[in-house]
């Protein structure tokens, strides 16, 4: 039996004020979350934090029926937020970059999502490519500059999504595992640091959710076709969602 699909929710930053305001704004947040919000520097950082925490509640409610205002989160061993109390085995992960917020929701399996601007900047290529695994560095070196910047962005979001799904974050060395994206066939990870055969339990998707962005999804026990994408953009009513 195939597992339940993963739900990928996308919220443009420009829609955060309308989206969050319709659901209660900062009143949805716990006191600890409001304190974190106040500590953030810059209007954009605060908007993205509010949008991410509001989107997580909305996406989890859509999957479970629990009221949006009832969600609370506890930090996991590496700081990743998890529903508290647990609800129907639901797991979620958040990512945001300037202009876009993503939330991935699964049931009973680990998941991770990462979104970044693309292609990567020359500064990122200079300082971050050396952190990749040797096969990935070899692949990038064989590409022309424009393709190299774009492919680096893909590898980076895949690595981030995978580590977030594992729950370790960037405490692991990025050179310790590598990704391949065959012309045909699924994206695969080679991870000698995990038990033998563990990598076979993972599936990955690379998406271009909007011009100038690249996004990766990582989830256990599924297949790429089982991804339900919901775009929220310029909504007067958060109940209006376009599914793709």
């Amino acid at each position: 039996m195939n597992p339940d699909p993963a739900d990928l929710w996308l919220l443009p930053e420009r829609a955060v004020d309308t989206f969050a305001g319709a659901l209660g704004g900062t009143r949805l947040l716990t006191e600890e979350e409001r304190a974190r919000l106040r500590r953030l520097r810059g209007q954009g950082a605060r908007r993205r934090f509010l949008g991410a925490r509001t989107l997580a509640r909305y996406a989890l409610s859509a999957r479970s029926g629990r009221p949006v205002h009832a969600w609370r989160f506890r930090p996991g061993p590496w700081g990743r937020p998890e529903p508290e109390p647990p609800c129907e085995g639901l797991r979620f992960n958040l990512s945001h970059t300037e202009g876009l917020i993503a939330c991935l929701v699964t049931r009973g399996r680990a998941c991770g999502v990462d979104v970044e601007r693309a292609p990567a900047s020359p500064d990122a290529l200079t300082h971050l490519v050396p952190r990749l695994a040797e096969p990935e560095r070899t692949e990038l070196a064989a590409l022309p500059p424009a393709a190299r910047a774009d492919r680096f962005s893909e590898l980076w979001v895949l690595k981030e999504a995978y580590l977030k799904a594992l729950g370790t974050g960037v405490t692991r060395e990025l050179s310790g595992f590598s990704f391949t994206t065959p012309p045909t066939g699924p994206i695969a990870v080679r991870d000698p640091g995990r038990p033998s055969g563990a990598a076979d339990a993972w599936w990955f998707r690379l998406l271009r959710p909007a011009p100038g962005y690249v996004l990766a999804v990582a989830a256990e026990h599924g297949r790429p076709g089982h991804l339900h994408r919901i775009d929220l953009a310029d909504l007067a009513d958060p109940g209006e969602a376009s599914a793709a």
Side-chain angles (χ1 to χ4, degrees), residues 38-59:
R38 290 191 294 268
R39 290 195 297 269
L40 291 172
R41 300 181 63 181
Q43 183 177 2
R46 291 191 292 271
R47 184 187 301 113
R48 290 187 288 274
F49 179 85
L50 174 61
R53 289 307 176 106
T54 305
L55 180 60
R57 287 167 162 87
Y58 184 75

Side-chain angles (χ1 to χ4, degrees), residues 23-42:
L23 294 172
T26 58
R27 295 191 301 276
L28 283 179
L29 306 184
T30 64
E31 182 53 44
E32 187 275 335
E33 288 173 315
R34 288 193 288 270
R36 286 183 61 184
L37 181 66
R38 290 191 294 268
R39 290 195 297 269
L40 291 172
R41 300 181 63 181

Side-chain angles (χ1 to χ4, degrees), residues 63-209:
R63 192 70 179 260
S64 69
R66 178 185 285 184
V68 175
H69 63 80
W71 291 99
R72 296 295 181 266
F73 307 112
R74 59 173 176 80
W78 301 98
R80 169 184 166 135
E82 300 287 355
E84 179 62 37
C87 180
E88 301 176 8
L90 291 179
R91 305 286 301 277
F92 77 100
N93 195 230
L94 291 166
S95 180
H96 55 75
T97 189
E98 184 178 355
L100 188 62
I101 302 163
C103 179
L104 183 67
V105 178
T106 61
R107 189 187 306 275
R109 52 197 173 116
C111 65
V113 63
D114 192 59
V115 62
E116 302 288 347
R117 301 297 296 264
S121 68
D123 185 64
L125 292 175
T126 298
H127 294 95
L128 298 179
V129 167
R131 298 179 59 187
L132 302 183
E134 183 177 355
E136 295 166 335
R137 298 197 304 268
T138 300
E139 177 191 355
L140 291 174
L143 296 174
R148 184 182 307 136
D150 200 55
R151 178 56 176 159
F152 170 81
S153 297
E154 292 182 344
L155 291 170
W156 190 263
V157 293
L158 282 167
K159 284 177 174 281
E160 291 274 2
Y162 177 56
L163 291 181
K164 291 169 73 177
L166 290 175
T168 65
V170 292
T171 58
R172 286 190 61 187
E173 292 290 338
L174 297 179
S175 60
F177 59 98
S178 61
F179 281 91
T180 57
T181 308
T184 60
I187 299 169
V189 62
R190 181 180 181 275
D191 187 355
R194 301 281 293 167
S196 176
D200 297 337
W202 292 90
W203 63 264
F204 305 93
R205 280 285 297 272
L206 277 171
L207 301 173
R208 303 287 177 152

